[in-house]
């Protein structure tokens, strides 16, 4: 795992970059981060030229946020464009449906985000062939032949498998396929898919990027102008745009991203190490554990391992009792927030997990308090 604070070639450290990302130049008497611009339309005499004409197309608040995200996903690369969306699924859909058409083939992970099967059904309804394979072991390579687009999710959600992004991207490009990587769980501070060869880095900003559980947001970044123009056109057609307040909140939250990520990731490793000693826990996964099946490749391409730990308790009833006994952890879906959350993923019915499978998102609580709460809940619900 490389230095998580400063790179040797990409300028300032992650904390400095997060704090300064996307800010405009200083103007006397103006705020450092301008407030949200609420406008459906803008003054536009004469010919419709310039950046801001109508609120579905562009907004100054989006512009600053998109600049910030681009600086995090691809530091120092001016040819990278970022586009923000109303949610992570809006961003995912924009890439899938702007790049694929009837007769094309796409490769998806079969262990990825729960809503991907919904996207698959719609893709197939449009005459697009959908192939799936697991994330682990780079298994998507086996079904890549002739595909137009390869969709990678690493680490996978919720199983936390990791694949070799560069290997998959090289193989896809050799066959003329585009590559998109869902970077939600890692965040730009955990890995940079564009530097690993991906054409698109896509994420739900709802999760750790914004980190407070109060904003729905998605984004797409890429450097191919033609491909990104198609994504932008899709956003315009479907109107999947974020509100200015959401965009402003997201930009404000990015300033603390490095602080939150480092605290949460360190605590996630501490929790995983503690859970490893519990006899009732099976299937423990965290890429930061040296003996995790994903650790070797994760340590080669990730700069941080994420805030999510997954494990299995012996039964649905035991998992439910455990979740109910927690005092510092909310029983809620999603992940990446400053308040720890956990849930029995089988309750949704969309993931290939056992009834006792728990996805645990580590927050920013004091590590000793959080670990003590988890171990107490396990002890109280034993038997």
């Amino acid at each position: 795992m490389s230095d998580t604070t400063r790179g040797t070639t990409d300028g300032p450290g992650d904390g400095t970059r997060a704090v300064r990302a996307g800010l405009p130049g200083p103007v006397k008497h103006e705020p450092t981060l301008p407030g949200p611009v609420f406008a459906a339309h803008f003054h536009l005499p004469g010919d419709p030229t310039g950046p801001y004409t109508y609120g579905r197309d562009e907004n100054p608040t989006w512009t600053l946020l998109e600049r910030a995200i681009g600086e995090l996903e691809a530091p120092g690369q001016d040819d990278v464009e970022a586009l923000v969306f109303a949610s992570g699924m809006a961003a995912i859909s924009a890439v899938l449906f702007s790049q694929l058409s009837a007769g094309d083939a796409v490769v998806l992970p079969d262990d990825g985000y729960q809503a991907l099967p919904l996207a698959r059904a719609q893709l197939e309804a449009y005459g697009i062939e959908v192939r799936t394979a697991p994330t682990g072991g780079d298994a998507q390579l086996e079904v890549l032949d002739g595909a137009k687009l390869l969709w990678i999710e690493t680490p996978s959600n919720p199983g936390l498998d990791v694949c070799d992004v560069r290997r998959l991207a090289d193989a896809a490009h050799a066959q003329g396929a585009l590559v998109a990587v869902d970077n939600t769980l890692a965040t730009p501070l955990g890995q940079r898919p564009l530097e690993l060869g991906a054409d698109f880095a896509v994420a739900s900003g709802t999760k750790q990027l914004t980190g407070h559980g109060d904003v729905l947001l998605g984004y797409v970044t890429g450097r191919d102008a033609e491909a990104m123009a198609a994504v932008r056109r899709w956003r315009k057609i479907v109107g999947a745009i974020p509100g200015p307040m959401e965009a402003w909140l997201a930009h404000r939250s990015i300033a603390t991203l490095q602080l939150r990520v480092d605290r949460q990731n360190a605590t996630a490793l501490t929790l995983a190490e503690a859970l490893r000693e519990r006899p009732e826990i099976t299937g423990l996964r965290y890429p930061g554990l040296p003996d995790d099946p994903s650790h070797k490749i994760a340590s080669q391409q990730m700069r941080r391992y994420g805030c999510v730990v997954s494990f299995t308790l012996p039964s649905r009833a035991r998992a439910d009792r455990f979740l109910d006994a927690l005092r510092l952890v909310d029983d809620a879906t999603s992940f990446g927030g400053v308040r720890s959350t956990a849930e029995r993923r089988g309750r949704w019915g969309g993931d290939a997990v056992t009834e006792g499978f728990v996805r645990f998102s580590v927050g920013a609580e004091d590590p000793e308090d959080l670990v003590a709460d988890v171990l107490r809940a396990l002890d109280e619900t034993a038997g």
Side-chain angles (χ1 to χ4, degrees):
M1 186 169 161
S2 61
D3 188 337
T4 60
T5 303
R6 300 188 70 89
T8 57
T9 61
D10 56 11
D14 287 342
T16 302
R17 183 176 291 111
V19 168
R20 306 298 305 179
L23 297 182
V27 178
K28 189 174 182 178
H29 305 309
E30 293 293 325
T32 305
L33 175 62
V37 175
F38 298 98
H41 58 266
F42 301 83
H43 286 296
L44 192 64
D47 294 334
T49 59
Y52 305 113
T53 59
Y54 187 64
R56 190 184 63 244
D57 300 325
E58 290 289 353
N59 177 288
T61 309
W62 303 353
T63 299
L64 297 181
L65 174 60
E66 289 169 342
R67 186 186 304 164
I69 291 171
E71 290 173 8
L72 295 178
E73 285 280 0
Q77 300 178 43
D78 295 336
D79 59 338
V80 170
E81 181 180 4
L83 297 170
V84 290
F85 290 81
S87 69
M89 276 308 299
I92 289 170
S93 299
V95 174
L96 291 173
F97 293 106
S98 70
Q99 304 302 313
L100 298 166
S101 56
D104 290 336
V106 60
V107 176
L108 302 179
D110 64 11
D111 54 351
Y113 179 51
Q114 182 198 26
L116 281 181
L118 299 176
R120 173 179 184 168
Q122 193 60 56
L123 289 164
E124 290 175 336
Y126 287 160
I128 297 164
E129 179 189 355
V130 179
R131 307 171 191 162
T132 63
T135 298
D138 299 342
Q140 288 174 297
L141 286 173
E142 299 173 10
V143 293
L144 186 58
D145 188 43
K148 173 80 175 294
L149 175 67
L150 169 64
W151 189 276
I152 298 170
E153 184 179 304
T154 181
S156 61
N157 172 29
L160 302 183
D161 272 323
V162 173
C163 60
D164 187 334
V165 175
R166 191 176 297 281
R167 181 187 181 204
L168 286 165
D170 287 347
H173 290 154
Q175 299 186 32
L178 294 169
V179 178
V181 175
D182 187 328
N183 204 33
T184 302
L185 201 146
T187 82
L189 300 194
Q191 69 186 2
R192 297 173 184 158
L194 299 181
E195 293 183 0
L196 295 171
D199 299 288
F200 303 100
V202 187
S204 169
T206 307
K207 311 298 193 296
Q208 198 168 20
L209 186 83
T210 53
H212 292 79
D214 54 8
V215 172
L216 287 173
L217 191 89
Y219 69 82
V220 178
T221 58
R223 63 166 49 85
D224 184 275
E226 184 177 352
M228 288 301 292
V231 175
R232 180 186 290 273
R233 180 173 179 270
W234 182 263
R235 183 178 70 173
K236 177 183 177 72
I237 291 170
V238 300
I241 59 173
M245 189 65 190
E246 285 78 7
W248 184 85
L249 285 169
H251 197 169
R252 179 212 58 177
S253 298
I254 284 175
T256 61
L257 179 61
Q258 183 260 343
L259 298 172
R260 292 184 282 107
V261 164
D262 281 353
R263 174 61 171 261
Q264 291 170 259
N265 289 14
T267 305
L269 179 58
T270 300
L271 176 64
E273 290 170 339
L275 291 174
R276 190 164 49 182
E277 305 304 317
R278 299 293 302 205
E280 69 269 56
I281 296 290
T282 59
L284 175 66
R285 296 298 304 270
Y286 182 67
L289 288 171
D291 58 350
D292 187 272
S294 293
H295 181 74
K296 181 178 179 180
I297 185 59
S299 65
Q300 294 171 7
Q301 68 187 21
M302 298 184 72
R303 302 163 66 241
R304 295 171 173 87
Y305 298 113
C307 66
V308 177
V309 178
S310 68
F311 55 90
T312 300
L313 287 168
S315 67
R316 171 177 179 168
R318 177 68 192 282
D320 285 338
R321 293 199 308 272
F322 164 71
L323 293 169
D324 188 57
L326 293 167
R327 297 170 184 165
L328 297 180
V329 183
D330 296 330
D331 191 343
T333 194
S334 197
F335 59 84
V338 292
R339 289 171 287 280
S340 291
T341 61
E343 68 171 342
R344 189 179 60 79
R345 284 298 291 175
R347 66 180 177 173
W348 296 101
D351 295 309
V353 296
T354 62
E355 289 286 2
F357 180 94
V358 174
R359 184 182 70 184
F360 196 111
S361 172
V362 174
E365 299 88 359
D366 287 313
E368 57 271 23
D369 292 336
L370 184 64
V371 172
D373 187 44
V374 170
L375 297 182
R376 177 200 53 76
L378 287 171
D379 289 337
E380 289 182 359
T381 57

